[in-house]
Amino acid sequence: MQRNRYEMLTDENLIEELRGGDSAITDFIMNKYKPMVRKKARAMFLLGGENEDLIQEGMIGLFKAIRDYETRQGTSFASFAELCVSRQMYSAIEASQRKKHLPLNSYVSLYEESVEEGKKVPLIDTIEPQEENNPEALYFGKEFTEIFSERLKENLSTLENHVLELHLMGTDYRKIAELLGKSPKAVDNALQRIKSKAQKLLKNELR
């Protein structure tokens, strides 16, 4: 079985094969390190985070580690993954403690790229204003966008913020669902709610 072969390889060799096109390795590594994520979530729960939220944050951090790790950097994947997971969780806890009324998530910029019809475009460009011919609605200064992003974040649930962050990373529905322990349908529904909330908020901001 493929899994048995994976278990005989080092993490570094697995990453090399992943870069070579064996996408199934991502699932193998995610499952392999999930106990580590859960252990860290239990420990950081004492610092003020919600356990389930921290697990989701940790899985996002692990996914980023798989995406960003380079074997030539001289650090083992295990160490790099632990660092990425811890950093993601700490950032979430700090954000939560700074603004208790906000969902537990890290900042997501609307200038980050999303995938729209096969092309990478800023998320803000995927939110269509109701009045397309209104010059004010067609121009978004950086200051306005940052304010809009913060207000949108306040209106999203913890799950929606997690889904949005992974979506902006170019992650497909099924992978997002697996990372967050949700069904693909739940992820799709979350994305639809995000878009609806963004459009509603945008309409109110431009009045």
Side-chain angles (χ1 to χ4, degrees):
M1 292 177 62
Q2 191 78 307
R3 180 181 178 83
N4 292 335
R5 189 178 74 82
Y6 290 162
E7 290 174 347
M8 297 175 64
L9 298 174
T10 65
D11 292 335
E12 292 71 28
N13 288 336
L14 286 170
I15 294 296
E16 289 180 353
E17 291 203 9
L18 173 62
R19 301 289 184 261
D22 190 350
S23 59
I25 289 176
T26 297
D27 293 335
F28 176 79
I29 296 177
M30 295 296 294
N31 288 326
K32 178 180 179 179
Y33 280 90
K34 193 168 186 177
M36 179 270 285
V37 171
R38 290 185 177 279
K39 182 177 180 180
K40 281 193 170 294
R42 286 195 296 270
M44 292 193 185
F45 177 77
L46 300 176
L47 298 179
E50 294 294 331
N51 192 60
E52 188 60 34
D53 291 339
L54 288 173
I55 290 174
Q56 290 184 357
E57 290 286 353
M59 294 303 287
I60 292 173
L62 178 57
F63 184 73
K64 289 179 178 178
I66 295 172
R67 179 195 64 184
D68 298 336
Y69 180 73
E70 295 183 4
T71 54
R72 66 173 181 271
Q73 65 191 32
T75 304
S76 69
F77 174 77
S79 297
F80 183 71
E82 187 170 355
L83 175 64
C84 290
V85 169
S86 296
R87 182 183 299 156
Q88 187 80 17
M89 289 184 180
Y90 276 125
S91 295
I93 291 173
E94 288 175 357
S96 178
Q97 291 177 341
R98 283 198 306 268
K99 298 181 179 180
K100 290 292 187 179
H101 64 286
L102 292 181
L104 183 60
N105 75 291
S106 55
Y107 176 77
V108 176
S109 170
L110 291 184
Y111 277 110
E112 290 188 54
E113 291 184 332
S114 177
V115 178
E116 184 81 0
E117 297 182 354
K119 299 179 180 179
K120 288 188 175 181
V121 295
L123 177 66
I124 193 69
D125 290 347
T126 71
I127 303 172
E128 300 176 357
Q130 296 294 321
E131 301 177 32
E132 295 184 0
N133 295 323
N134 184 343
E136 184 180 17
L138 296 175
Y139 175 78
F140 297 92
K142 184 174 179 58
E143 181 178 355
F144 173 82
T145 303
E146 290 177 350
I147 294 173
F148 178 80
S149 178
E150 288 293 337
R151 290 181 179 172
L152 174 61
K153 184 170 63 173
E154 292 178 18
N155 284 275
L156 298 181
S157 68
T158 299
L159 173 62
E160 289 164 355
N161 271 293
H162 288 157
V163 168
L164 178 58
E165 180 174 4
L166 288 168
H167 179 65
L168 291 173
M169 290 167 59
T171 314
D172 64 37
Y173 284 30
R174 293 186 181 279
K175 179 56 64 178
I176 293 175
E178 182 179 343
L179 289 171
L180 301 182
K182 304 294 181 180
S183 68
K185 181 63 175 177
V187 171
D188 181 49
N189 289 340
L191 285 170
Q192 294 304 317
R193 290 195 301 272
I194 291 167
K195 188 169 184 178
S196 176
K197 289 179 180 180
Q199 291 176 339
K200 182 177 180 180
L201 179 60
L202 183 60
K203 183 177 180 180
N204 291 335
E205 291 291 327
L206 293 176
R207 282 178 178 174

